[in-house]
Amino acid sequence: MRELPNPTFALSPVSLPRGSLHPAQPNSAVDFLPRRAKSAIEVTWAKHQDEVREAQRLRFDIFGTEMGARLSSHLPGHDIDLFDDFCEHLLVRETATGMVVGTYRVLTPAQAKRAGSTYSDTEFDLTRLRDMRNRMVELGRSCVHAEHRQGGVIMALWGALFEFMDRNQLDVMIGCASIPMLHNGLVSGDAAASIWRQLRETHLAPIQHHVRPRLPLPVEELNAHLDIEPPALIKGYLRLGAKVLGAPAWDPDFNTADLPMLMRTADLPARYRKHFKSAV
Protein backbone atom coordinates (compact mmCIF):
# COMPACT_ATOMS: atom_id res chain seq x y z
CA MET A 1 0.00 0.00 0.00
CA ARG A 2 1.53 3.29 -1.05
CA GLU A 3 0.63 6.55 0.68
CA LEU A 4 -0.30 9.23 -1.81
CA PRO A 5 2.20 12.09 -2.24
CA ASN A 6 1.62 15.28 -0.32
CA PRO A 7 -0.30 17.75 -2.47
CA THR A 8 0.06 21.48 -1.87
CA PHE A 9 -3.32 22.46 -0.53
CA ALA A 10 -4.01 26.10 0.15
CA LEU A 11 -6.48 25.06 2.86
CA SER A 12 -4.32 22.72 4.95
CA PRO A 13 -0.70 22.11 6.04
CA VAL A 14 1.43 20.46 3.36
CA SER A 15 2.62 17.90 5.92
CA LEU A 16 -0.72 16.15 5.80
CA PRO A 17 -1.25 13.31 3.30
CA ARG A 18 -3.70 13.22 0.42
CA GLY A 19 -7.11 13.46 2.05
CA SER A 20 -5.86 16.24 4.35
CA LEU A 21 -8.93 18.32 3.64
CA HIS A 22 -10.94 15.59 5.33
CA PRO A 23 -11.10 14.83 9.06
CA ALA A 24 -9.36 11.64 10.13
CA GLN A 25 -11.63 10.65 13.00
CA PRO A 26 -12.72 6.98 13.02
CA ASN A 27 -16.35 8.00 12.54
CA SER A 28 -15.68 10.48 9.75
CA ALA A 29 -17.26 8.19 7.12
CA VAL A 30 -20.87 8.82 6.20
CA ASP A 31 -23.06 5.83 7.08
CA PHE A 32 -26.75 5.75 6.30
CA LEU A 33 -29.27 3.46 4.68
CA PRO A 34 -31.61 5.28 2.27
CA ARG A 35 -35.08 3.82 1.95
CA ARG A 36 -34.42 2.14 -1.40
CA ALA A 37 -30.78 1.17 -0.92
CA LYS A 38 -29.99 -2.52 -1.32
CA SER A 39 -27.31 -2.55 1.37
CA ALA A 40 -25.63 -0.31 3.92
CA ILE A 41 -23.01 2.01 2.46
CA GLU A 42 -20.23 4.24 3.71
CA VAL A 43 -18.52 7.22 2.13
CA THR A 44 -14.77 7.80 2.50
CA TRP A 45 -12.00 9.77 0.82
CA ALA A 46 -9.15 7.84 -0.78
CA LYS A 47 -5.92 8.20 1.18
CA HIS A 48 -3.77 5.61 -0.61
CA GLN A 49 -2.98 4.88 -4.25
CA ASP A 50 -4.64 1.45 -4.10
CA GLU A 51 -7.92 3.12 -3.09
CA VAL A 52 -7.68 5.43 -6.09
CA ARG A 53 -7.09 2.35 -8.25
CA GLU A 54 -10.40 0.91 -7.01
CA ALA A 55 -12.19 4.03 -8.24
CA GLN A 56 -10.35 3.87 -11.56
CA ARG A 57 -11.36 0.23 -12.05
CA LEU A 58 -15.01 1.07 -11.41
CA ARG A 59 -14.75 3.94 -13.88
CA PHE A 60 -13.26 1.63 -16.51
CA ASP A 61 -16.02 -0.93 -16.01
CA ILE A 62 -18.72 1.70 -16.49
CA PHE A 63 -17.20 4.10 -19.02
CA GLY A 64 -15.16 1.60 -21.02
CA THR A 65 -17.02 -1.70 -20.81
CA GLU A 66 -20.62 -0.55 -20.29
CA MET A 67 -20.60 2.69 -22.31
CA GLY A 68 -17.94 1.86 -24.88
CA ALA A 69 -15.68 4.86 -24.28
CA ARG A 70 -12.21 4.83 -25.82
CA LEU A 71 -9.96 4.94 -22.78
CA SER A 72 -6.20 5.24 -23.10
CA SER A 73 -4.35 4.20 -19.97
CA HIS A 74 -0.97 2.77 -19.07
CA LEU A 75 -2.72 0.33 -16.70
CA PRO A 76 -5.15 -2.13 -18.34
CA GLY A 77 -8.64 -2.19 -16.86
CA HIS A 78 -8.32 1.28 -15.32
CA ASP A 79 -9.60 4.70 -16.41
CA ILE A 80 -6.68 7.03 -15.70
CA ASP A 81 -5.96 10.51 -16.98
CA LEU A 82 -3.52 13.31 -16.16
CA PHE A 83 -5.90 14.99 -13.69
CA ASP A 84 -6.26 11.99 -11.36
CA ASP A 85 -3.02 12.66 -9.49
CA PHE A 86 -4.20 16.17 -8.62
CA CYS A 87 -7.68 15.16 -7.45
CA GLU A 88 -9.30 14.02 -4.24
CA HIS A 89 -11.24 10.80 -4.86
CA LEU A 90 -14.56 10.22 -3.09
CA LEU A 91 -15.59 6.58 -2.69
CA VAL A 92 -18.82 4.84 -1.73
CA ARG A 93 -18.40 1.28 -0.46
CA GLU A 94 -20.77 -1.50 0.41
CA THR A 95 -20.28 -1.94 4.13
CA ALA A 96 -20.65 -5.72 3.97
CA THR A 97 -18.24 -6.38 1.09
CA GLY A 98 -16.02 -3.30 1.03
CA MET A 99 -16.59 -3.04 -2.73
CA VAL A 100 -16.45 0.45 -4.26
CA VAL A 101 -19.85 1.06 -5.88
CA GLY A 102 -19.69 4.80 -6.52
CA THR A 103 -17.12 7.53 -7.00
CA TYR A 104 -16.49 11.19 -7.77
CA ARG A 105 -13.21 12.97 -8.21
CA VAL A 106 -12.79 16.48 -6.86
CA LEU A 107 -10.29 19.05 -8.10
CA THR A 108 -9.74 21.90 -5.65
CA PRO A 109 -8.70 25.43 -6.69
CA ALA A 110 -5.14 24.94 -5.40
CA GLN A 111 -4.74 21.65 -7.23
CA ALA A 112 -6.24 23.07 -10.44
CA LYS A 113 -3.44 25.66 -10.39
CA ARG A 114 -0.87 22.88 -10.01
CA ALA A 115 -2.45 20.91 -12.85
CA GLY A 116 -2.57 23.99 -15.07
CA SER A 117 -6.31 23.81 -15.69
CA THR A 118 -9.46 21.86 -14.91
CA TYR A 119 -10.78 19.05 -17.09
CA SER A 120 -13.67 21.36 -18.03
CA ASP A 121 -11.14 23.81 -19.48
CA THR A 122 -10.24 21.17 -22.08
CA GLU A 123 -13.84 21.09 -23.31
CA PHE A 124 -14.95 24.69 -22.79
CA ASP A 125 -13.61 28.23 -22.77
CA LEU A 126 -14.23 29.17 -19.13
CA THR A 127 -13.00 32.75 -19.39
CA ARG A 128 -16.20 34.16 -17.92
CA LEU A 129 -15.72 32.10 -14.76
CA ARG A 130 -12.28 33.53 -13.99
CA ASP A 131 -13.53 35.53 -10.99
CA MET A 132 -14.77 32.29 -9.38
CA ARG A 133 -11.57 30.27 -9.75
CA ASN A 134 -10.29 30.71 -6.22
CA ARG A 135 -13.43 29.19 -4.70
CA MET A 136 -14.46 26.84 -7.53
CA VAL A 137 -14.23 23.06 -7.21
CA GLU A 138 -14.52 20.79 -10.24
CA LEU A 139 -16.47 17.55 -9.97
CA GLY A 140 -15.84 14.78 -12.48
CA ARG A 141 -15.82 11.11 -13.41
CA SER A 142 -19.05 10.46 -11.49
CA CYS A 143 -20.24 6.87 -11.78
CA VAL A 144 -22.27 4.33 -9.83
CA HIS A 145 -22.28 0.53 -10.12
CA ALA A 146 -25.25 -0.79 -12.12
CA GLU A 147 -26.70 -2.59 -9.10
CA HIS A 148 -26.71 0.56 -6.95
CA ARG A 149 -28.41 3.14 -9.14
CA GLN A 150 -31.53 3.37 -7.01
CA GLY A 151 -30.55 6.74 -5.56
CA GLY A 152 -28.92 6.01 -2.23
CA VAL A 153 -25.34 6.01 -3.50
CA ILE A 154 -25.57 9.29 -5.39
CA MET A 155 -27.28 10.97 -2.43
CA ALA A 156 -24.47 9.77 -0.17
CA LEU A 157 -21.89 11.19 -2.60
CA TRP A 158 -23.65 14.53 -2.75
CA GLY A 159 -23.92 14.71 1.03
CA ALA A 160 -20.17 14.23 1.39
CA LEU A 161 -19.46 16.76 -1.37
CA PHE A 162 -21.55 19.50 0.21
CA GLU A 163 -19.99 18.80 3.62
CA PHE A 164 -16.57 19.11 1.98
CA MET A 165 -17.51 22.44 0.40
CA ASP A 166 -18.89 23.83 3.63
CA ARG A 167 -15.90 22.75 5.73
CA ASN A 168 -13.38 24.26 3.31
CA GLN A 169 -15.33 27.48 2.66
CA LEU A 170 -15.77 26.82 -1.06
CA ASP A 171 -19.05 27.72 -2.67
CA VAL A 172 -18.98 26.93 -6.42
CA MET A 173 -18.96 23.55 -8.16
CA ILE A 174 -18.55 23.03 -11.89
CA GLY A 175 -18.44 20.00 -14.12
CA CYS A 176 -19.40 18.42 -17.41
CA ALA A 177 -22.66 16.43 -17.32
CA SER A 178 -22.75 13.82 -20.07
CA ILE A 179 -25.60 12.85 -22.37
CA PRO A 180 -25.05 9.55 -24.24
CA MET A 181 -25.08 9.85 -28.02
CA LEU A 182 -26.74 6.43 -28.28
CA HIS A 183 -30.52 6.84 -28.45
CA ASN A 184 -33.00 4.11 -29.35
CA GLY A 185 -30.14 1.95 -30.53
CA LEU A 186 -28.72 4.58 -32.88
CA VAL A 187 -25.76 6.90 -32.44
CA SER A 188 -27.24 10.37 -32.79
CA GLY A 189 -26.96 13.82 -31.27
CA ASP A 190 -30.70 14.41 -31.50
CA ALA A 191 -31.33 13.49 -27.87
CA ALA A 192 -28.63 15.85 -26.64
CA ALA A 193 -29.87 18.67 -28.87
CA SER A 194 -33.42 18.16 -27.55
CA ILE A 195 -32.29 18.19 -23.92
CA TRP A 196 -30.23 21.34 -24.54
CA ARG A 197 -33.27 23.03 -26.11
CA GLN A 198 -35.36 22.25 -23.01
CA LEU A 199 -32.77 23.29 -20.45
CA ARG A 200 -31.74 26.55 -22.08
CA GLU A 201 -35.36 27.66 -21.65
CA THR A 202 -35.63 26.66 -17.99
CA HIS A 203 -32.19 26.35 -16.37
CA LEU A 204 -29.75 28.56 -18.29
CA ALA A 205 -27.29 30.57 -16.19
CA PRO A 206 -27.06 34.37 -16.53
CA ILE A 207 -25.24 35.50 -19.66
CA GLN A 208 -22.20 36.73 -17.71
CA HIS A 209 -21.44 33.10 -16.84
CA HIS A 210 -21.93 31.54 -20.27
CA VAL A 211 -19.09 29.41 -21.64
CA ARG A 212 -18.28 28.19 -25.15
CA PRO A 213 -17.56 24.60 -26.21
CA ARG A 214 -14.22 23.99 -27.89
CA LEU A 215 -15.72 21.19 -30.03
CA PRO A 216 -19.42 22.12 -30.26
CA LEU A 217 -22.13 19.58 -30.85
CA PRO A 218 -23.75 20.83 -34.11
CA VAL A 219 -27.15 21.34 -32.49
CA GLU A 220 -28.45 23.48 -35.37
CA GLU A 221 -28.15 20.49 -37.70
CA LEU A 222 -29.90 18.05 -35.36
CA ASN A 223 -33.51 17.30 -34.45
CA ALA A 224 -34.00 19.20 -31.22
CA HIS A 225 -37.68 18.38 -30.77
CA LEU A 226 -37.63 14.87 -29.35
CA ASP A 227 -39.82 14.27 -26.32
CA ILE A 228 -37.01 13.05 -24.07
CA GLU A 229 -36.04 13.64 -20.46
CA PRO A 230 -32.51 14.52 -19.33
CA PRO A 231 -30.43 11.72 -17.77
CA ALA A 232 -31.13 11.08 -14.08
CA LEU A 233 -27.85 12.65 -12.96
CA ILE A 234 -28.58 15.90 -14.78
CA LYS A 235 -32.10 16.00 -13.34
CA GLY A 236 -30.54 15.50 -9.91
CA TYR A 237 -28.15 18.41 -10.44
CA LEU A 238 -31.04 20.63 -11.46
CA ARG A 239 -32.99 19.71 -8.33
CA LEU A 240 -29.95 20.77 -6.31
CA GLY A 241 -30.05 24.22 -7.92
CA ALA A 242 -27.54 23.77 -10.76
CA LYS A 243 -27.54 25.90 -13.90
CA VAL A 244 -26.45 25.10 -17.45
CA LEU A 245 -23.65 27.38 -18.65
CA GLY A 246 -24.08 26.95 -22.39
CA ALA A 247 -24.40 24.65 -25.38
CA PRO A 248 -22.99 21.11 -25.23
CA ALA A 249 -19.57 20.02 -26.37
CA TRP A 250 -18.98 16.73 -28.17
CA ASP A 251 -16.59 14.31 -26.49
CA PRO A 252 -15.57 11.85 -29.22
CA ASP A 253 -13.66 9.55 -26.85
CA PHE A 254 -16.63 8.99 -24.57
CA ASN A 255 -19.10 9.50 -27.45
CA THR A 256 -21.19 11.84 -25.32
CA ALA A 257 -22.50 15.38 -25.48
CA ASP A 258 -21.28 17.23 -22.40
CA LEU A 259 -23.24 20.07 -20.82
CA PRO A 260 -21.28 22.58 -18.73
CA MET A 261 -22.97 22.98 -15.36
CA LEU A 262 -22.44 25.16 -12.33
CA MET A 263 -23.86 24.76 -8.84
CA ARG A 264 -23.57 27.16 -5.90
CA THR A 265 -23.87 25.86 -2.37
CA ALA A 266 -26.04 28.88 -1.54
CA ASP A 267 -28.61 27.66 -4.08
CA LEU A 268 -29.04 24.25 -2.45
CA PRO A 269 -32.74 23.89 -1.55
CA ALA A 270 -33.46 23.75 2.19
CA ARG A 271 -34.87 20.21 2.06
CA TYR A 272 -31.61 18.85 0.64
CA ARG A 273 -29.48 20.90 3.00
CA LYS A 274 -31.37 19.40 5.94
CA HIS A 275 -31.04 15.88 4.55
CA PHE A 276 -27.30 16.17 3.89
CA LYS A 277 -26.58 17.66 7.32
CA SER A 278 -28.48 14.85 9.02
CA ALA A 279 -26.38 12.27 7.12
CA VAL A 280 -22.96 13.42 8.34
Side-chain angles (χ1 to χ4, degrees):
M1 181 182 296
R2 181 167 71 86
E3 190 78 20
L4 290 174
N6 295 341
T8 305
F9 286 124
L11 305 177
S12 58
V14 296
S15 60
L16 294 177
R18 175 84 62 160
S20 57
L21 293 181
H22 320 294
Q25 299 111 3
N27 61 351
S28 62
V30 181
D31 285 284
F32 68 103
L33 182 61
R35 182 174 301 174
R36 293 189 295 163
K38 291 185 177 181
S39 60
I41 55 178
E42 64 175 8
V43 182
T44 60
W45 294 89
K47 294 180 175 64
H48 300 279
Q49 187 69 62
D50 61 337
E51 294 178 310
V52 176
R53 292 287 184 249
E54 291 181 86
Q56 292 167 339
R57 286 195 293 271
L58 176 65
R59 285 160 34 182
F60 181 89
D61 289 343
I62 293 175
F63 300 140
T65 304
E66 182 179 330
M67 298 175 59
R70 297 195 302 268
L71 302 175
S72 58
S73 170
H74 65 275
L75 190 61
H78 294 70
D79 168 39
I80 302 173
D81 75 2
L82 61 87
F83 290 96
D84 275 335
D85 285 344
F86 297 93
C87 290
E88 297 279 331
H89 297 265
L90 184 57
L91 312 175
V92 177
R93 296 182 184 275
E94 281 186 334
T95 303
T97 66
M99 182 175 71
V100 172
V101 297
T103 185
Y104 257 111
R105 73 177 185 189
V106 180
L107 186 63
T108 65
Q111 291 297 85
K113 288 180 181 178
R114 292 189 67 202
S117 75
T118 66
Y119 179 86
S120 299
D121 282 294
T122 68
E123 291 207 60
F124 298 93
D125 179 352
L126 303 184
T127 300
R128 291 187 175 183
L129 305 185
R130 59 184 176 273
D131 292 340
M132 301 180 181
R133 292 275 188 176
N134 63 350
R135 63 184 196 278
M136 185 175 78
V137 163
E138 182 187 54
L139 309 181
R141 288 302 205 266
S142 170
C143 61
V144 176
H145 190 282
E147 295 181 3
H148 290 267
R149 293 173 186 166
Q150 73 287 339
V153 170
I154 196 65
M155 288 296 285
L157 285 166
W158 285 341
L161 287 169
F162 276 98
E163 190 274 337
F164 172 95
M165 297 289 289
D166 182 65
R167 176 160 34 85
N168 293 294
Q169 299 180 350
L170 300 165
D171 62 3
V172 178
M173 290 179 271
I174 65 161
C176 302
S178 297
I179 304 171
M181 299 287 279
L182 189 65
H183 178 60
N184 289 340
L186 299 174
V187 176
S188 166
D190 293 345
S194 298
I195 292 169
W196 159 238
R197 178 187 57 80
Q198 297 171 38
L199 298 187
R200 72 182 180 190
E201 296 174 359
T202 59
H203 292 86
L204 190 61
I207 191 170
Q208 63 266 29
H209 296 149
H210 288 187
V211 304
R212 293 180 179 274
R214 300 191 186 281
L215 182 59
L217 186 73
V219 291
E220 296 83 2
E221 302 171 20
L222 299 168
N223 179 7
H225 297 281
L226 299 182
D227 184 12
I228 185 171
E229 292 189 352
L233 186 62
I234 291 180
K235 289 197 292 185
Y237 286 143
L238 298 176
R239 286 195 294 270
L240 294 177
K243 297 294 184 183
V244 179
L245 299 176
W250 176 46
D251 184 336
D253 291 331
F254 280 76
N255 201 23
T256 58
D258 291 345
L259 279 176
M261 302 194 76
L262 180 146
M263 185 161 38
R264 299 173 185 269
T265 57
D267 294 334
L268 182 66
R271 64 184 183 278
Y272 288 108
R273 191 180 303 276
K274 181 179 178 181
H275 173 80
F276 292 150
K277 286 188 175 182
S278 70
V280 297

